[in-house]
Amino acid sequence: MEPNPTPLTQLIRSETTVAGHRNLYCLHYDACLDVAVKLDWDSWSCEKCPLFKLHEEPRSFAGMFANDRRGGGQPH
């Protein structure tokens, strides 16, 4: 399976909306972000990607700050 980001016509403006369009914990997220930047997309989605539902746990190589969510009641 290959990563398959697709462009969106509107910007994603809230964290709850991001979760519905992108899998932030996918091992290919950074590569897809690079594709979106290189192709000058305003926004993009993982929804049509076969990998969208995989890698749902926080990536172990990400720092603790990378997996923190604002407003979660955790001290920073």
Side-chain angles (χ1 to χ4, degrees), residues 2-21:
E2 292 290 320
N4 185 31
T6 53
L8 290 176
T9 57
Q10 293 185 335
L11 294 175
I12 298 174
R13 298 194 183 275
S14 74
E15 283 189 35
T16 55
T17 306
V18 168
H21 285 283

Side-chain angles (χ1 to χ4, degrees), residues 3 9 12 17 27 43 52 63 68:
T9 57
I12 298 174
T17 306
L27 296 175
S43 193
F52 183 52
D68 280 348

Side-chain angles (χ1 to χ4, degrees), residues 7-71:
L8 290 176
T9 57
Q10 293 185 335
L11 294 175
I12 298 174
R13 298 194 183 275
S14 74
E15 283 189 35
T16 55
T17 306
V18 168
H21 285 283
R22 298 184 192 157
N23 181 350
L24 302 177
Y25 304 116
C26 178
L27 296 175
H28 300 283
Y29 184 86
D30 295 339
C32 291
L33 181 58
D34 286 344
V35 168
V37 169
K38 287 177 184 174
L39 295 176
D40 198 28
W41 292 348
D42 289 330
S43 193
W44 60 283
S45 175
C46 304
E47 284 183 298
K48 295 179 182 175
C49 179
L51 302 171
F52 183 52
K53 298 293 182 189
L54 301 178
H55 311 292
E56 301 231 356
E57 295 300 317
R59 295 184 281 184
S60 61
F61 59 85
M64 288 300 293
F65 64 92
N67 294 315
D68 280 348
R69 308 303 273 175
R70 280 188 278 146

